[in-house]
Amino acid sequence: MRKANGAIIQVCSVSFWYGTDKTPVLEQVSLEIERGEFVAFIGQNGAGKTTLAKLFNGILLPSDGSVLVEGRNTREAGLEALARIVGYCYQNPDHQIFSRTVKDEIAFGPRNLGMTSEQVEQAVAQALRLVEMEQLASSPPFLLGRGQRQKLAVASILAMGSPVLVVDEPTTGLDLRGTRSIMNLLNQWNQDGRTIVIITHDMNIVAEYAQRVVVMASGKILADGPTREVLSDEATLAQAFLKAPQITRVAQQLDPRFGLRRDILTVEEMLREITQRVKVSP
């Protein structure tokens, strides 16, 4: 387990199984999420990523071990208290959208947390502004495009003021513009001090936005560390049946005599490296 330094979530030797079938979905998992981190969970379907994330706010409770959120055991804290700290966005936004209008959808969470009418109005207005959906406040959510519904789902959690936001597959079904929009929004919230956890199969998104990566396979954590370090570890990624971003693999295949770093994560980094080499060449 990582050394605690302002940890907001602590997972301590957790195992989880469904019902009476004691086949573990998670097995002796331990990790800490620190305040202000941007963390990506990666791994194949069935690796345990979503199950682990659902333990953070009490949607699921550990079968063995414990999960602490701001020092409180999730078995004892209760869903309402945990929802104030950890907001969870499902992979499919339609699984959590049900209100008649965009405004009502965003207002639902704050109302349930007992905010006053004035506080609810302020929270809704701020969330609408942040996701640039002010003009759609009175629109029925299911008439919105996929990207707009994704942003609405995130905004409904944001309005609750949760310092931790967990987003399962934030870019699924989105085009490049939609992907950039939602990821830049998450990045901005992280810069403002929120803790962001994403579950994703998009390695390019991980490379560009995440500060830390947790690799999972068969209900266990195979690697947990800085993004550049983890995504450059071919052997560990292979154990999880994953591949680094294509540009990283290109850098690793180039002749060492070119002098390029082998841990390049993005096309922009590759261009900077090549430009630098050209400038210093005799």
Side-chain angles (χ1 to χ4, degrees), residues 18-130:
Y18 288 97
T20 57
D21 180 6
K22 292 195 174 183
T23 303
V25 179
L26 297 175
E27 188 173 359
Q28 290 292 301
V29 171
S30 296
L31 84 160
E32 295 180 350
I33 305 292
E34 298 182 6
R35 296 177 188 274
E37 284 196 293
F38 196 129
V39 185
F41 288 179
I42 62 175
Q44 293 294 322
N45 291 336
K49 308 181 300 298
T50 295
T51 299
L52 176 59
K54 286 182 176 179
L55 293 169
F56 294 171
N57 71 344
I59 297 176
L60 298 175
L61 296 175
S63 302
D64 191 30
S66 61
V67 178
L68 306 180
V69 177
E70 287 194 335
R72 300 178 64 184
N73 194 307
T74 57
R75 296 181 187 278
E76 304 163 357
L79 282 171
E80 181 177 329
L82 293 171
R84 295 176 182 272
I85 304 168
V86 183
Y88 188 97
C89 290
Y90 289 82
Q91 178 176 348
N92 185 343
D94 296 342
H95 289 168
Q96 69 185 78
I97 293 174
F98 58 88
S99 298
R100 295 181 63 184
T101 68
V102 166
K103 182 177 180 179
D104 288 341
E105 184 67 36
I106 297 175
F108 179 82
R111 287 197 189 106
N112 275 350
L113 293 180
M115 294 186 186
T116 66
S117 296
E118 183 178 352
Q119 289 173 328
V120 171
E121 287 295 322
Q122 290 176 347
V124 170
Q126 180 185 39
L128 285 170
R129 184 169 60 255
L130 286 171

Side-chain angles (χ1 to χ4, degrees), residues 132-153:
E132 300 179 340
M133 295 179 69
E134 298 101 317
Q135 303 303 317
L136 298 171
S138 300
S139 300
F142 288 102
L143 294 183
L144 302 177
R146 174 63 168 77
Q148 290 175 320
R149 297 200 306 278
Q150 182 73 45
K151 291 172 72 173
L152 172 59

Side-chain angles (χ1 to χ4, degrees), residues 1-5 7-14 28-34 37 52 56 65-68 212 214 221 223-225:
M1 184 180 291
R2 288 157 58 92
K3 182 179 178 180
N5 182 22
I8 194 167
I9 295 171
Q10 296 168 285
V11 179
C12 309
S13 301
V14 162
Q28 290 292 301
V29 171
S30 296
L31 84 160
E32 295 180 350
I33 305 292
E34 298 182 6
E37 284 196 293
L52 176 59
F56 294 171
S66 61
V67 178
L68 306 180
R212 172 184 168 197
V214 176
I221 293 176
D224 177 2

Side-chain angles (χ1 to χ4, degrees), residues 26 43 46 113-114 120 129 155-156 171 180 202 205 212 225 229 262 275:
L26 297 175
L113 293 180
V120 171
R129 184 169 60 255
S156 67
T171 61
R180 287 294 179 194
D202 191 329
I205 289 297
R212 172 184 168 197
E229 175 183 309
R262 295 175 56 81
T275 300

